[in-house]
Amino acid sequence: MELPVLPPLEPMLAKAVDGLPTDAGWLFEPKWDGFRAVVFRDGDELFIQSRELKPLDRYFPELAAPLLMSLPTRCVIDGEIVIARDGALDFEALLLRIHPAESRVRMLAGASPASFVAWDLLALDDDDLRAASQGERRERLEAVLEGAAAPVHLTPATTDRATAADWFERFEGAGLDGVVAKRLDAAYQPGKRAMLKIKHQRTADCVVAGFRWHKNGPGTHIGSLLLGLFDDEGTLHHAGITSSFTWDRRAALVEELEPLRSAALDGHPWREWAEWSAMGDADASGQRLPGATSRWNRGKDLSWEPLRAERVVEVAYDHLQGSRFRHATTIKRWRPDKVPAACRYDQMEETPAFEIARIFGGT
């Protein structure tokens, strides 16, 4: 490739803040829940780079032709790969793409094709635009993507804070993460947290039904707690983890949780999972299990220790996807006043679905 900006290129990042900025001079965009992707095109050559500077092309073969059709002949564009199904973004469908078998990837590409959402123009022809202002880059991006067709899309953007606040509330039902704010006068800053992200955050009471040791080894420190939530039928589901502890707290939890380890498997709702894990049979081929490996952590020790499901913890979370927390949670406090049976999915706040087709058509 002969472009003014070449891979590997560290994408500009965002730092979390509690609310939308109130001063003037900001560009607001929806925060897409997908795979960050920087697309490099030079004629018929195309390269899609991940946030971790790795190639993504082989996992999304269906995007090559649309990108060559919709993007300028020579350009570098920052954006996100997403999959939209049933009126919302489906992050789990993206995870399934990271698979070593090409036949599997192509089958999934046909069953649930991906889209590319563009939000920044870093280079065009021989011009390196990273030093240009965000406002100028947005104007030029709109111009070059005026004729783009699905599954290539230009992200919505606004300078109106009230509109951004409305997006923050309405777009969540479509699976979006929140809102991103960018200074209109700012340059593109690779690797720097120069954008702001405003994400939804709520709290939930969860059952602590197990834990993982810290990587230092068994008996040293607690690595993470395994969280459970009950459904309407009374089944306890593994909903995610929390690991936001200080070093001293990790050490103290070893002794604090020790009484709950006694006879923990007797009647434990995840007993089968613990036994499968012990035999090395837990994998990511079916239902997600507390001790399962995945395509993202091959070789990582995810074995876990059961606890009697008697303690309740309140955690902060930003998004529930299906039956699991989309990201790791943050512990707020222990709730000795709560019984485990009260830790149900019906405590979770629900947001009505906002059709993704109303954000970008044709998917």
Side-chain angles (χ1 to χ4, degrees):
M1 284 186 170
E2 295 184 4
L3 293 168
V5 178
L6 293 170
L9 172 68
E10 290 189 82
M12 184 165 66
L13 304 175
K15 60 182 177 182
V17 296
D18 291 334
L20 296 169
T22 57
D23 56 328
W26 293 92
L27 182 73
F28 301 101
E29 301 171 2
K31 186 179 183 303
W32 297 87
D33 189 18
F35 287 173
R36 185 72 175 273
V38 181
V39 179
F40 299 80
R41 183 191 177 181
D42 184 8
D44 292 333
E45 288 188 80
L46 193 71
F47 179 74
I48 306 175
Q49 176 202 282
S50 74
R51 173 176 168 170
E52 291 75 28
L53 314 184
K54 297 178 180 179
L56 284 173
D57 308 75
R58 72 173 301 272
Y59 303 118
F60 301 96
E62 74 276 27
L63 287 179
L67 288 170
L68 291 173
M69 181 178 296
S70 291
L71 299 190
T73 304
R74 299 180 65 239
C75 66
V76 180
I77 292 182
D78 195 359
E80 195 105 350
I81 295 175
V82 300
I83 292 179
R85 297 198 302 183
D86 301 323
L89 300 183
D90 187 345
F91 189 82
E92 294 298 316
L94 283 173
L95 292 177
L96 293 175
R97 291 298 190 88
I98 310 302
H99 196 283
E102 181 180 356
S103 58
R104 172 77 173 173
V105 170
R106 292 196 173 276
M107 183 274 289
L108 292 171
S112 53
S115 298
F116 176 72
V117 182
W119 65 58
D120 212 335
L121 181 63
L122 310 187
L124 183 64
D125 297 326
D126 290 324
D127 296 332
D128 182 346
L129 301 178
R130 289 175 295 176
S133 69
Q134 175 67 68
E136 178 185 343
R137 298 199 310 274
R138 174 68 192 193
E139 289 180 4
R140 298 186 70 169
L141 181 64
E142 290 176 353
V144 300
L145 291 186
E146 185 177 5
V152 178
H153 307 275
L154 174 67
T155 190
T158 183
T159 57
D160 181 59
R161 187 180 186 279
T163 299
D166 178 58
W167 286 353
F168 186 77
E169 298 299 331
R170 289 192 300 131
F171 284 3
E172 187 189 6
L176 278 81
D177 261 352
V179 171
V180 172
K182 307 174 181 179
R183 290 292 312 180
L184 281 166
D185 58 0
Y188 190 90
Q189 302 173 58
K192 304 294 185 182
R193 294 194 177 275
M195 306 182 290
L196 305 181
K197 57 183 177 182
I198 304 93
K199 301 176 67 174
H200 298 273
Q201 188 167 97
R202 304 167 178 84
T203 63
D205 295 327
C206 300
V207 182
V208 177
F211 71 93
R212 292 193 179 106
W213 290 114
H214 188 270
K215 61 183 179 182
N216 284 354
T220 59
H221 296 79
I222 298 297
S224 59
L225 302 179
L226 305 185
L227 307 177
L229 289 168
F230 288 99
D231 63 18
D232 291 339
E233 285 71 45
T235 299
L236 185 67
H237 294 265
H238 175 45
I241 67 165
T242 190
S243 57
S244 55
F245 311 112
T246 65
W247 189 246
D248 289 343
R249 185 66 181 134
R250 291 181 187 278
L253 279 171
V254 175
E255 183 177 352
E256 190 174 326
L257 296 178
E258 182 62 29
L260 296 176
R261 299 183 63 193
S262 175
L265 274 184
D266 294 347
H268 198 288
W270 301 341
R271 178 176 182 136
E272 271 190 301
W273 296 356
E275 291 172 347
W276 291 342
S277 180
M279 294 186 294
D281 292 337
D283 58 32
S285 58
Q287 187 176 5
R288 196 188 294 240
L289 311 178
T293 59
S294 79
R295 57 195 56 82
W296 294 104
N297 49 41
R298 293 293 183 192
K300 183 177 180 180
D301 181 12
L302 292 182
S303 58
W304 62 285
E305 300 287 337
L307 295 172
R308 296 200 309 274
E310 298 175 2
R311 295 196 67 177
V312 174
V313 66
E314 181 183 2
V315 298
Y317 70 99
D318 53 18
H319 182 52
L320 188 73
Q321 182 163 9
S323 61
R324 288 179 57 89
F325 298 115
R326 169 68 178 82
H327 304 105
T329 65
T330 302
I331 189 168
K332 303 292 286 186
R333 54 180 173 162
W334 292 97
R335 296 300 304 264
D337 57 319
K338 292 288 184 76
V339 296
C343 300
R344 296 164 50 92
Y345 281 105
D346 59 13
Q347 71 180 295
M348 320 295 272
E349 179 182 343
E350 294 185 7
T351 303
F354 185 93
E355 292 298 317
I356 202 76
R358 295 180 62 186
I359 302 175
F360 60 88
T363 54

